[in-house]
Amino acid sequence: MKRGIAVSARFTMLTLANWRNFKRVELYLGPRAFIVGPNASGKSNLLDAFRFLRDIAAPGGSLVNAVKDRRGLKHISSFHASRNSDVRIEVEVEIDENPSRWTYALEIARG
């Protein structure tokens, strides 16, 4: 809350590059999203991208701890990617249904 005013925000887009089992995925999110698919199709890995961002942004959170909690960068990086491929997470955020959106990107270089 900012000065007693509740602020709502939501993700409207998620892009992953070289994240776990995804070489590249771009996902547009409406007000409600359902994630369905067969076993081992990446549902948990997709949700972990959001948990990863939460772990970084949480009070006392950090990139180092978020990576360490996932047993290091080699366990985050896609097995489809080349050895030195960067891991990238990009999100688009809409705040209070404002027509303007903010884009944030995090890229972790492996090389």
Side-chain angles (χ1 to χ4, degrees):
M1 285 200 337
K2 188 176 180 180
R3 295 186 180 209
I5 300 171
V7 176
S8 66
R10 71 177 188 88
F11 291 111
T12 56
M13 187 264 307
L14 171 71
T15 302
L16 301 173
N18 301 320
W19 177 265
R20 297 199 178 237
N21 65 319
F22 300 107
K23 184 165 177 113
R24 178 159 173 83
V25 66
E26 193 168 297
L27 178 66
Y28 291 91
L29 301 163
R32 182 175 295 153
F34 298 93
I35 300 174
V36 295
N39 291 342
S41 62
K43 299 179 301 291
S44 295
N45 289 337
L46 179 70
L47 293 174
D48 190 50
F50 290 108
R51 286 190 293 269
F52 184 77
L53 293 172
R54 179 205 59 202
D55 292 349
I56 293 169
S62 73
L63 175 61
V64 171
N65 287 337
V67 171
K68 193 183 299 182
D69 288 348
R70 285 154 183 84
R71 300 181 300 154
L73 189 56
K74 72 177 185 175
H75 285 90
I76 293 173
S77 300
S78 172
F79 51 81
H80 299 291
S82 66
R83 184 174 215 176
N84 293 324
S85 296
D86 299 341
V87 175
R88 183 177 174 86
I89 300 175
E90 184 176 323
V91 292
E92 185 178 85
V93 180
E94 178 183 87
I95 300 174
D96 284 332
E97 299 180 12
N98 187 325
S100 63
R101 294 183 175 165
W102 295 80
T103 302
Y104 299 93
L106 171 66
E107 191 162 337
I108 305 169
R110 292 197 62 189

